[in-house]
Amino acid sequence: MLLEVLASLPVYLALLISFFAAWMFFLKSYVLLMGDWELQQEMRLTLERIAQDAASATYIEVKEPRAIYVERYVKGEKCSVDYALREGKQDMPPYISKKVSGGPYGYSVPQPMTGGRNIFGNLAVVDFFCEEKDGLLFLRLTGENRRTKKRIDFSTAVPLPKKSE
């Protein structure tokens, strides 16, 4: 019986090692997949939020290709929102910031909407572009998962509010 155990031990060890290697491969693939999914969701939700604010705006000003100013009314009170692409501090990736002014909804310091690090990746906004053309506001947001080097690009167009005479 001892001879049988000694003969089968290397086979069991080989099986155990191969199962562990396969589990580690699938775990790594899962983390990479979740990082890319997180990137997609974060960029989509950010662009969707900017487009919603722009769609309900009474006034929009594209300050520069990477910054936009939106005026709108929330519960009857005038509120302004600034969106801009900002560089991260101390090795942090670029991000989209949002600053709300006016009414009880405002805050004094721009808040990050995107970017940062998590277990699944290091997400960064590579480009944010806005342009007024032919009565439309064109928005484009490009993000990158710095761990997997995958980039994703979302774009949309929103009708500009009618200018009051």
Side-chain angles (χ1 to χ4, degrees):
M1 185 162 146
L2 181 62
L3 196 55
E4 290 174 354
V5 169
L6 289 175
S8 63
L9 189 61
V11 173
Y12 288 130
L13 285 176
L15 280 173
L16 185 64
I17 290 171
S18 64
F19 283 137
F20 181 74
W23 181 75
M24 291 301 288
F25 173 76
F26 288 123
L27 184 63
K28 181 181 177 185
S29 297
Y30 173 76
V31 168
L32 295 177
L33 178 69
M34 289 304 293
D36 291 343
W37 181 82
E38 178 92 11
L39 170 70
Q40 179 181 356
Q41 292 302 328
E42 190 168 304
M43 295 301 121
R44 183 187 62 79
L45 289 172
T46 300
L47 188 65
E48 186 177 305
R49 182 66 204 155
I50 295 170
Q52 283 176 352
D53 283 348
S56 66
T58 56
Y59 175 75
I60 294 176
E61 179 184 344
V62 176
K63 294 183 174 181
E64 57 184 72
R66 290 179 173 77
I68 185 173
Y69 171 80
V70 176
E71 255 180 30
R72 62 193 188 104
Y73 285 86
V74 177
K75 295 185 180 177
E77 293 188 38
K78 187 176 179 180
C79 178
S80 65
V81 183
D82 286 293
Y83 292 102
L85 178 63
R86 300 191 186 278
E87 287 298 320
K89 296 178 185 174
Q90 298 177 355
D91 196 35
M92 291 299 290
Y95 63 96
I96 297 290
S97 73
K98 175 182 180 180
K99 182 178 180 187
V100 178
S101 306
Y105 309 104
Y107 36 89
S108 59
V109 179
Q111 302 295 313
M113 291 182 65
T114 61
R117 295 181 181 145
N118 60 30
I119 190 170
F120 300 119
N122 186 351
L123 307 181
V125 176
V126 177
D127 189 28
F128 173 59
F129 178 78
C130 42
E131 175 186 34
E132 294 181 54
K133 187 177 176 184
D134 299 328
L136 294 173
L137 174 67
F138 292 95
L139 299 167
R140 186 181 70 238
L141 185 62
T142 304
E144 178 183 56
N145 183 343
R146 291 186 167 181
R147 179 179 285 175
T148 63
K149 302 298 183 210
K150 180 177 182 175
R151 284 190 175 200
I152 194 156
D153 194 34
F154 284 100
S155 62
T156 190
V158 179
L160 288 169
K162 296 188 190 285
K163 302 210 186 240
S164 57
E165 303 286 326

